[in-house]
Amino acid sequence: MSIKIFIVDDHYMIVEGIRSLLQYQKGLEWMGHAMNAASCMAYLQQQQPDVILMDINLPDKSGIDLCKEVKSKYKNIHIVGLSSYNQQSFIQKMLENGASGYVLKNATREELVDAIEMVMEGKIFLSNEAELTVQKNDNSKTPIITRREKEVLLLIANGLTNNEIALKLFISITTVETHRKNLLAKFEVKNTASLIRMATQCQLI
Amino acid sequence: MSIKIFIVDDHYMIVEGIRSLLQYQKGLEWMGHAMNAASCMAYLQQQQPDVILMDINLPDKSGIDLCKEVKSKYKNIHIVGLSSYNQQSFIQKMLENGASGYVLKNATREELVDAIEMVMEGKIFLSNEAELTVQKNDNSKTPIITRREKEVLLLIANGLTNNEIALKLFISITTVETHRKNLLAKFEVKNTASLIRMATQCQLI
DNA sequence: CAATCAATCCCCTAAAAACAGGATATTGGG
DNA sequence: CCCAATATCCTGTTTTTAGGGGATTGATTG
């Protein structure tokens, strides 16, 4: 029985490219594609593929979120993340949200087919380069910050002072100072400039 | 006579996708593709296409540089930039370096064909969204800063205090403060956090 | 249940940055 | 050569951060 493949990507060229790469591959059945998260979910109500190739960047919501949503409703669907960015944080988040693999958009046909077959066997597949990235950045410098801290961080990035943040969040200025203190500690920096810089690099802003 | 098309992109999926999109389009002839700048230049020594679709991000050099190189040797080749990023700075640099058009990777077949035909007529083609970006950011908010100011900006971004910057640049701390003051004024922000944020957005950091 | 973590609040001091309002060389381009 | 822009320096005041101590509450969780 063929493995049923579905693609979610808003780039025609990618969709066409994958279709073209896979079309004469036996054992695979092309079910179609969606260009955004909403139509993907709508499609899944009618039919379920075995494997979804899913772009990280969709117009209506991030592939990372969509991944979670799909997996929570359809446990048997295997998801392979698809992206041109070889960024550790994305890879990790996709896997945390239930993805079984991650393929870069410069993958070859062989890599793509491998990925599909491996995730069907319940294994994890990562593109060569993606795997390297994970290893290289595994002891990632991105600190774990709490929800509140992130909130404060964003407001700091927007140029608000501690006082303004306090007013906005209905908390004491001393609390804001504490959050800020913790952020500086977690990012291992000693002032606002570095904080914003690091946070930007960690794509938290 | 058919328009001869050549593609430079290191993503198989994109190359396949474009080939697939254009293969039954009459009036177009697919010449082949290169996966990097070097093999593109090598190919051009043998044969010259009419239009090159060129990715912005290549493994060995940026499409922006390759664009310049190709145009300096082969004036008659029309170049269409190809990218998933809809970033004004890239678009502008491609055009400055002799590109005739810029297409996003989520373009439809029609858009792609339009682009190719338009640039062959010597016109400029920009994807709808790319055009919007150019317009929106044309009166760009990126302020003009002096060499010294940029130097100071970078050091600020690296987390140095005014004092440390003063020591490093062999200038008085008051001078650093002045530069900082001017930076805040030019970026129209009122503290370091916003400054670093804006500077990052303007890709100055 | 004890322990941990998140979020809140407080005090204190010193350092740093923001803001105001100047001045003075230097220099490159019209 | 002159002017405008750049870079430099100054003296103030006020606001904001950084960094050092804490403490309390509530939720989560092994």
Side-chain angles (χ1 to χ4, degrees):
Chain A
M1 210 187 90
S2 295
I3 301 172
K4 286 180 280 187
I5 309 285
F6 187 74
I7 295 179
V8 192
D9 197 318
D10 62 323
H11 297 82
Y12 288 93
M13 296 177 194
I14 293 288
V15 173
E16 280 301 314
I18 294 175
R19 190 216 298 268
S20 170
L21 284 175
L22 299 182
Q23 73 185 335
Y24 298 121
Q25 196 70 32
K26 61 180 186 174
L28 299 184
E29 184 189 339
W30 173 273
M31 293 194 74
H33 71 273
M35 310 273 298
N36 55 55
S39 69
C40 169
M41 292 309 290
Y43 180 90
L44 293 183
Q45 292 192 319
Q46 312 301 126
Q47 299 181 65
Q48 286 95 45
D50 299 306
V51 176
I52 298 182
L53 302 176
M54 185 181 292
D55 189 20
I56 298 279
N57 308 291
L58 297 171
D60 50 347
K61 89 170 48 171
S62 88
I64 294 169
D65 294 337
L66 178 59
C67 180
K68 193 173 196 171
E69 207 175 323
V70 170
K71 284 301 277 190
S72 72
K73 288 198 184 169
Y74 310 96
K75 292 213 162 32
N76 296 327
I77 299 181
H78 300 90
I79 296 177
V80 176
L82 203 58
S83 171
S84 12
Y85 310 106
N86 185 13
Q87 297 217 265
Q88 192 261 343
S89 61
F90 289 158
I91 301 178
Q92 198 154 318
K93 282 182 194 151
M94 283 297 280
L95 296 176
E96 279 168 11
N97 283 357
S100 309
Y102 192 96
V103 175
L104 298 178
K105 285 188 177 172
N106 63 356
T108 58
R109 179 207 315 266
E110 290 72 30
E111 214 175 340
L112 201 53
V113 174
D114 275 0
I116 292 167
E117 287 173 350
M118 271 186 75
V119 300
M120 273 304 284
E121 295 171 22
K123 296 178 188 162
I124 299 286
F125 180 94
L126 298 177
S127 270
N128 292 337
E129 293 180 50
E131 200 159 8
L132 281 178
T133 307
V134 169
Q135 284 168 3
K136 206 170 55 187
N137 286 351
D138 196 23
N139 44 2
S140 169
K141 278 163 281 172
T142 304
I144 296 156
I145 61 174
T146 68
R147 230 170 310 162
R148 200 55 157 174
E149 281 164 356
K150 178 154 189 181
E151 214 170 335
V152 172
L153 174 60
L154 285 182
L155 294 174
I156 293 172
N158 282 331
L160 305 212
T161 65
N162 288 342
N163 208 338
E164 290 166 335
I165 296 172
L167 290 172
K168 179 154 237 165
L169 298 184
F170 303 108
I171 57 180
S172 157
I173 190 171
T174 62
T175 307
V176 180
E177 275 166 0
T178 304
H179 286 312
R180 194 170 194 138
K181 202 183 333 185
N182 294 335
L183 283 168
L184 291 178
K186 287 187 176 179
F187 279 89
E188 292 174 37
V189 294
K190 57 188 243 300
N191 57 34
T192 307
S194 316
L195 175 65
I196 300 302
R197 224 257 180 116
M198 293 299 294
T200 307
Q201 280 174 355
C202 296
Q203 294 163 312
L204 292 169
I205 293 180
Chain B
M1 213 187 88
S2 295
I3 302 172
K4 286 180 281 187
I5 309 285
F6 187 75
I7 295 178
V8 190
D9 198 317
D10 61 323
H11 298 80
Y12 288 93
M13 295 177 193
I14 293 288
V15 173
E16 279 302 313
I18 294 175
R19 190 216 298 269
S20 169
L21 283 175
L22 298 183
Q23 72 185 335
Y24 298 121
Q25 196 71 32
K26 62 181 187 174
L28 299 185
E29 184 190 338
W30 174 273
M31 293 193 75
H33 72 274
M35 309 273 300
N36 55 54
S39 70
C40 169
M41 292 309 289
Y43 180 90
L44 293 183
Q45 291 192 320
Q46 314 301 126
Q47 299 181 64
Q48 285 95 45
D50 299 306
V51 176
I52 298 182
L53 302 175
M54 184 181 292
D55 189 21
I56 299 280
N57 307 292
L58 298 170
D60 50 347
K61 88 169 50 171
S62 90
I64 294 169
D65 293 338
L66 178 60
C67 181
K68 193 173 197 170
E69 207 175 322
V70 170
K71 285 299 278 190
S72 72
K73 286 198 185 170
Y74 311 97
K75 292 213 163 32
N76 296 327
I77 298 180
H78 300 90
I79 296 177
V80 176
L82 203 59
S83 170
S84 10
Y85 310 106
N86 186 12
Q87 296 213 268
Q88 193 260 344
S89 60
F90 289 158
I91 302 178
Q92 200 155 318
K93 282 182 194 151
M94 284 296 280
L95 296 176
E96 279 168 11
N97 282 358
S100 309
Y102 192 96
V103 174
L104 297 176
K105 285 188 179 173
N106 63 357
T108 58
R109 179 208 314 267
E110 290 70 33
E111 215 175 339
L112 202 52
V113 173
D114 275 0
I116 292 167
E117 288 173 350
M118 271 187 75
V119 301
M120 274 303 285
E121 295 171 22
K123 296 178 190 162
I124 298 286
F125 181 94
L126 298 177
S127 269
N128 293 338
E129 293 180 51
E131 200 158 10
L132 281 178
T133 307
V134 170
Q135 284 168 4
K136 205 169 57 189
N137 286 351
D138 196 22
N139 45 359
S140 171
K141 279 163 281 170
T142 305
I144 296 157
I145 61 174
T146 68
R147 228 171 312 164
R148 198 57 157 174
E149 281 164 357
K150 179 152 189 181
E151 214 169 336
V152 171
L153 174 60
L154 286 182
L155 294 174
I156 293 172
N158 282 332
L160 304 211
T161 66
N162 288 342
N163 208 336
E164 290 166 335
I165 296 173
L167 288 172
K168 180 156 235 165
L169 299 182
F170 302 109
I171 55 180
S172 158
I173 189 171
T174 62
T175 306
V176 180
E177 275 167 359
T178 304
H179 286 312
R180 196 168 195 141
K181 201 189 326 188
N182 293 335
L183 282 168
L184 291 178
K186 286 187 177 181
F187 279 89
E188 292 175 35
V189 294
K190 58 187 240 301
N191 56 35
T192 307
S194 318
L195 175 65
I196 300 302
R197 222 251 180 126
M198 293 299 294
T200 306
Q201 279 174 354
C202 295
Q203 294 164 310
L204 292 169
I205 292 179

